[in-house]
């Protein structure tokens, strides 16, 4: 009984401490103009260039898939920049060590960061979806609801997985361009289909299971289909990959060093 009580109070204490960091990080994130360039400006520009001539004859099915495709980029780039790279920066500048000493644990800091990025992400998803709906003259109500419903079961496991970056012995100023290229590469693999009857076909299976961009689209498509009455939430919902992401992220949180690698 005492063990259960300690576990409950420990969980409540962690959530309360995480909420304090959530408020601190919100002030930083929402006032960072560069974040909007990567997470909102870039996909809008690419959308206008890529879809300008197709917006008048696009079906709703094609439109909704288009939205989810761009969402995958927004979700990943927001997590990479705001969690992976920013946690590395905090470690390099000794903020992570200072916050950990104050709090007594690094987990509330990580959780506060993830929750703050989820809020920032959701705002960007709403703004982007409203823009693309107006741009392509399509209804967006079910997509707006989907953007909220994917936060806990889809985005949070992936954002915990991104903590793996901060657990690596690398510096923040040397990894940014590489990670951005990786995000673009993963997004380009969405919907990959190969049917050669050779070992290359297994690459498709690995892409469906391990590529977080594909997992985002598959999961969001399942939730959106359920809202539209076209299918079940279990259809195509990537439960196993998301569970793996959450497990890897939990281990990364434990193994992540708070000691700066700067100057080493």
């Amino acid at each position: 009984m005492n063990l259960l009580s300690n576990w409950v109070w420990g969980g409540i204490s962690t959530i309360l401490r995480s909420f304090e960091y959530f408020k601190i990080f919100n002030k930083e994130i929402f006032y960072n103009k560069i974040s909007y360039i990567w997470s909102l400006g870039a996909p809008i520009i690419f959308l206008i260039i890529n879809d300008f001539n197709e917006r008048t004859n696009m079906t709703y099915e094609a439109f909704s898939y288009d939205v989810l495709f761009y969402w995958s980029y927004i979700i990943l780039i927001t997590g990479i920049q705001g969690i992976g790279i920013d946690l590395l920066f905090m470690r390099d500048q000794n903020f992570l060590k200072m916050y950990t000493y104050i709090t007594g644990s690094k987990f509330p800091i990580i959780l506060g960061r993830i929750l703050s990025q989820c809020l920032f992400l959701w705002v960007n998803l709403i703004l982007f979806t409203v823009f693309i709906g107006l741009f392509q003259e399509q209804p967006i109500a079910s997509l707006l609801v989907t953007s909220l419903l994917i936060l806990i079961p889809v985005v949070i496991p992936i954002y915990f997985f991104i903590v793996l970056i901060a657990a690596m012995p690398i510096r923040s100023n040397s990894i940014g361009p590489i990670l951005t290229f990786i995000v673009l590469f993963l997004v380009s693999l969405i919907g990959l289909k190969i049917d050669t009857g050779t070992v290359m076909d297994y690459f498709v299976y690995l892409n469906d299971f391990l590529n977080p961009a594909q997992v985002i689209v598959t999961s969001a498509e399942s939730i959106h289909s359920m809202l539209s009455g076209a299918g079940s939430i279990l259809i195509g919902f990537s439960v196993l990959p998301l569970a793996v992401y959450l497990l890897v992220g939990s281990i990364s949180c434990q193994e992540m060093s708070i000691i700066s690698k700067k100057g080493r």
Side-chain angles (χ1 to χ4, degrees):
M1 189 68 179
N2 288 334
L3 181 62
L4 178 61
S5 177
N6 291 337
W7 184 83
V8 171
W9 283 112
I12 294 174
S13 175
T14 298
I15 293 174
L16 291 176
R17 287 179 291 168
S18 299
F19 183 69
E20 294 302 318
Y21 285 105
F22 169 77
K23 293 189 293 183
I24 293 172
F25 293 142
N26 280 343
K27 296 178 182 178
E28 170 197 332
I29 293 170
F30 282 95
Y31 283 102
N32 186 354
K33 306 299 187 297
I34 297 178
S35 298
Y36 292 100
I37 295 175
W38 283 106
S39 60
L40 191 58
I44 285 178
I45 292 173
F46 187 78
L47 164 73
I48 293 173
I49 294 174
N50 192 57
D51 294 357
F52 185 81
N53 294 325
E54 300 180 12
R55 69 189 192 280
T56 56
N57 57 0
M58 181 174 286
T59 64
Y60 180 73
E61 288 73 19
F63 164 75
S64 60
Y65 188 84
D66 213 25
V67 173
L68 302 183
F69 175 86
Y70 286 107
W71 277 9
S72 67
Y73 166 82
I74 296 172
I75 291 170
L76 289 181
I77 202 67
T78 299
I80 291 292
Q81 297 285 343
I83 298 173
I85 295 178
D86 277 7
L87 283 176
L88 284 175
F89 177 80
M90 288 174 62
R91 186 186 68 189
D92 290 346
Q93 300 301 317
N94 290 311
F95 286 116
L96 188 58
K97 181 169 67 173
M98 179 183 69
Y99 288 155
T100 301
Y101 285 161
I102 293 172
T103 308
S105 171
K106 58 191 171 184
F107 185 75
I109 304 166
I110 298 172
L111 182 58
R113 191 84 204 182
I114 289 174
L115 294 177
S116 182
Q117 286 300 136
C118 284
L119 177 60
F120 178 72
L121 167 70
W122 187 53
V123 171
N124 282 332
L125 290 181
I126 293 294
L127 293 175
F128 177 81
T129 305
V130 170
F131 176 85
I132 193 174
L134 294 173
F135 181 76
Q136 296 183 343
E137 300 179 357
Q138 295 279 358
I140 59 171
S142 61
L143 287 168
L144 293 178
V145 177
T146 302
S147 71
L148 177 61
L149 294 180
I150 65 173
L151 290 180
I152 293 177
V154 181
V155 174
I156 286 183
I158 289 175
Y159 278 7
F160 266 105
F161 178 69
I162 290 175
V163 176
L164 176 64
I165 297 170
M168 295 179 179
I170 52 180
R171 292 172 58 182
S172 58
N173 58 1
S174 62
I175 196 66
I178 297 174
L179 292 176
T180 301
F181 174 78
I182 291 175
V183 169
L184 294 174
F185 175 71
L186 292 176
V187 171
S188 71
L189 293 178
I190 292 175
L192 178 67
K193 300 295 180 185
I194 300 177
D195 188 12
T196 62
T198 67
V199 70
M200 283 299 296
D201 293 348
Y202 289 101
F203 184 73
V204 176
Y205 304 139
L206 290 175
N207 179 66
D208 291 341
F209 182 80
L210 296 177
N211 182 355
Q214 182 64 63
V215 172
I216 290 169
V217 171
T218 303
S219 303
E221 196 172 24
S222 296
I223 295 175
H224 183 249
S225 296
M226 181 197 67
L227 293 175
S228 304
S232 168
I233 192 172
L234 296 177
I235 298 176
F237 193 74
S238 305
V239 176
L240 186 56
L242 291 170
V244 171
Y245 294 156
L246 193 57
L247 176 62
V248 172
S250 299
I251 297 173
S252 300
C253 290
Q254 297 176 6
E255 299 299 323
M256 186 180 70
S257 173
I258 62 173
I259 306 300
S260 174
K261 300 296 185 291
K262 192 172 183 180
R264 295 191 176 189

